[in-house]
Amino acid sequence: MATTKQTCGLICEYNPFHFGHAYQIKKLKERFDTVVCILGGNISQRGEAAVSDRYIRAKAALQNGADLVVELPAPWCCASAREFAAGGVFLAKELGVDSLAFSAESDPALLYAAAKERTEGEAAIRALMKEEKNLSYPAAAERVLGKTLAGKPNDILGIEYLSHAGNFPAYILKREPSFLSSTAIRGSENPLEKLPPASREVFGADPAFPRDTAAGGNYLLSVLRTHPSKAAYGVTEELFARMTEQAWKHTDFPAFVQACVNKMYTAARVRRAAWAIAFGFPEALRDKTPPYTLLLAANEKGREFLRTTAKTRTLPVLSRPAETMDYKEGELNARLNGVLQIFYGGKDDVKNTPYLIGETT
């Protein structure tokens, strides 16, 4: 009797695609027939320009075993762990995969327990944040629950994935610590040497790899010196005042970020806030979901998955950036990617097309 083909959704950034990512996809392909990657767009969750364009990172994923790569667009790709996970899990469910997949440092039982605890305390956490306007979500959660649920990045995201997944199945892999992290690779003298051969070939063909994130940062500084609006995602009155004051004291974006950091605001939050102010990320992001996803790369198996789910799927899977312009989020991404093109070059975003492998039908 034939076995039912199973698909998994993997929320990722591939910033850049390294040996740990290759190992993860290899292990998933032992369990699932089709691996669908939901890739963060051209701004990372850390609030930095990605090391390479989303289409290049998607191609690297496909060359290393993924079957389908679609985009988690801004502002979700450049949001806190909470909203980043919410957007990614929403897309996974809407695409019609059978299971959510991710890697974490801790035992899955601990992550499930932490997610349950956090979910049950959500109302109290939000009430405390409403009462104390400048209180961050992690700080509010720690006060309500009496402890920090996780300190490692993959565990933090894992708890958020499980919290948003609810009863949706999840397949959790143990993160292999022997592999260099994306952060370590980006900070190395020659990042290309740290990547798998297939990734090295893809990223090596990008003349801008790895991107100098300070270039785009200086654009953000100029916005903060002109007519910024504090009505943006993740921007409290206190943070806005701090950022606009420090913007006039610094001409170097990394130095500006460090000057804004304190016990309340991490460097990642400051960077995300700068993008939110510059491009008008909506304040109530946690109440919104991505209205579409953009096809970045696919092989024949990935296209077959899209064909088989087309009748039950209500989420639009668009093929070209020009098609996203009917959505406010599409316009936002077009403006954002247009600014990035000034600093890093590359193809005009609206003319981009997905990377496809195999025969098309």
Side-chain angles (χ1 to χ4, degrees):
M1 186 173 72
T3 57
T4 302
K5 292 183 177 181
Q6 293 288 300
T7 59
C8 71
L10 180 61
I11 305 167
C12 53
E13 290 188 306
Y14 299 148
N15 196 34
F17 191 103
H18 55 62
F19 281 101
H21 298 136
Y23 172 82
Q24 182 186 50
I25 288 183
K26 178 178 179 295
K27 299 301 289 185
L28 290 176
K29 294 303 284 278
E30 294 173 2
R31 168 66 176 81
F32 297 94
D33 181 69
T34 305
V35 174
V36 176
C37 295
I38 300 165
L39 181 75
N42 285 330
I43 302 295
S44 75
Q45 198 263 329
R46 291 166 50 88
E48 297 174 326
V51 293
S52 207
D53 180 80
R54 58 192 167 168
Y55 283 94
I56 294 172
R57 288 178 287 127
K59 180 178 180 180
L62 216 67
Q63 298 285 44
N64 282 278
D67 299 300
L68 174 67
V69 187
V70 297
E71 183 187 26
L72 174 63
W76 291 272
C77 68
C78 181
S80 70
R82 182 74 173 152
E83 277 75 39
F84 178 87
V89 172
F90 173 81
L91 289 183
K93 290 179 178 180
E94 290 296 309
L95 285 167
V97 298
D98 300 302
S99 179
L100 183 69
F102 62 90
S103 297
E105 288 91 351
S106 297
D107 182 87
L110 296 176
L111 299 180
Y112 275 106
K116 181 175 183 293
E117 196 172 353
R118 222 290 315 287
T119 301
E120 290 174 348
E122 180 72 10
I125 294 169
R126 290 295 174 188
L128 182 59
M129 291 178 68
K130 189 174 182 180
E131 181 182 338
E132 298 186 28
K133 297 294 185 182
N134 290 317
L135 194 63
S136 67
Y137 187 95
E142 185 173 351
R143 280 173 53 178
V144 169
L145 302 175
K147 60 181 179 181
T148 301
L149 292 178
K152 298 178 180 178
N154 289 293
D155 282 358
I156 292 171
L157 279 172
I159 291 170
E160 295 297 347
Y161 293 150
L162 294 175
S163 176
H164 290 288
N167 295 325
F168 193 70
Y171 184 74
I172 306 173
L173 288 169
K174 180 73 173 179
R175 185 180 181 277
E176 176 52 61
S178 62
F179 297 115
L180 280 178
S181 68
S182 295
T183 301
I185 292 171
R186 289 195 301 270
S188 65
E189 188 173 343
N190 191 342
L192 277 178
E193 292 181 351
K194 313 294 184 183
L195 305 180
S199 287
R200 199 177 307 140
E201 182 180 348
V202 173
F203 287 108
D206 176 13
F209 177 83
R211 288 174 169 177
D212 173 15
T213 58
N218 288 340
Y219 162 75
L220 300 179
L221 268 183
S222 69
V223 173
L224 289 167
R225 285 189 175 195
T226 51
H227 302 286
S229 170
K230 64 183 177 183
Y233 165 74
V235 183
T236 64
E237 290 184 11
E238 180 184 321
L239 179 56
F240 181 79
R242 192 176 185 86
M243 291 176 67
T244 50
E245 177 187 2
Q246 293 299 327
W248 286 98
K249 296 181 179 180
H250 298 275
T251 57
D252 174 73
F253 188 70
F256 155 79
V257 170
Q258 289 307 309
C260 292
V261 169
N262 60 16
K263 291 182 179 180
M264 181 73 69
Y265 306 116
T266 64
R269 179 162 182 191
V270 173
R271 290 190 295 262
R272 289 194 298 263
W275 288 106
I277 291 169
F279 290 93
F281 292 179
E283 288 182 273
L285 185 59
R286 71 184 183 92
D287 299 323
K288 298 177 179 291
T289 53
Y292 68 87
T293 188
L294 180 67
L295 174 62
L296 300 177
N299 58 22
E300 180 54 40
K301 188 179 289 186
R303 293 195 294 278
E304 176 60 24
F305 167 78
L306 290 178
R307 286 192 290 269
T308 57
T309 58
K311 291 184 179 179
T312 57
R313 189 179 66 240
T314 58
L315 179 81
V317 180
L318 307 177
S319 297
R320 291 172 173 78
E323 298 174 39
T324 71
M325 298 300 285
D326 291 334
Y327 303 88
K328 290 182 179 178
E329 293 81 2
E331 294 177 356
L332 183 156
N333 279 270
R335 288 189 288 110
L336 190 155
N337 294 328
V339 168
L340 292 177
Q341 186 190 21
I342 293 173
F343 295 104
Y344 306 117
K347 192 174 183 180
D348 182 357
D349 187 66
V350 296
K351 297 179 180 178
N352 271 315
T353 56
Y355 173 70
L356 303 176
I357 294 179
E359 295 183 3
T360 58
T361 58

